[in-house]
Amino acid sequence: MSLVRRVGLGVRLGVAFGLLGLALLVVGVTSTTTLSRLDISGTGTAQGKDVKALEIVSLLTQDTSTSATDVVRHLYVYDGDLKTQ
């Protein structure tokens, strides 16, 4: 621990920055090599196919948005009118 304290702040920051740069380089090289091996020819992916799950998610998103709008509109329009609420 005393060796680390004897080294100047600039040297410690330089070493830390160098290690961070090295880690970034390792992540970049790993991701580039992995992505280059990825097969996107279309035969093994769902791209271009009729995927029912995506259609259902899209409909749920639209329904949720409509319901939220209706609730806010109802609360705004009938606020204070307890009989109508």
Side-chain angles (χ1 to χ4, degrees):
M1 190 64 157
S2 62
L3 177 64
V4 173
R5 288 184 184 200
R6 278 189 260 160
V7 177
L9 179 62
V11 175
R12 285 187 279 175
L13 287 174
V15 169
F17 185 72
L19 288 173
L20 184 63
L22 181 65
L24 183 61
L25 183 67
V26 167
V27 168
V29 168
T30 303
S31 63
T32 303
T33 56
T34 303
L35 285 175
S36 66
R37 286 190 234 140
L38 187 61
D39 179 26
I40 55 169
S41 62
T43 58
T45 63
Q47 186 177 13
K49 296 180 182 175
D50 183 27
V51 180
K52 188 68 175 171
L54 292 176
E55 182 181 343
I56 292 170
V57 167
S58 174
L59 289 174
L60 284 173
T61 303
Q62 291 172 359
D63 290 345
T64 303
S65 176
T66 304
S67 296
T69 303
D70 289 344
V71 166
V72 170
R73 183 179 298 143
H74 174 76
L75 290 176
Y76 177 74
V77 172
Y78 298 119
D79 189 30
D81 186 7
L82 294 179
K83 186 176 183 180
T84 308
Q85 276 183 346

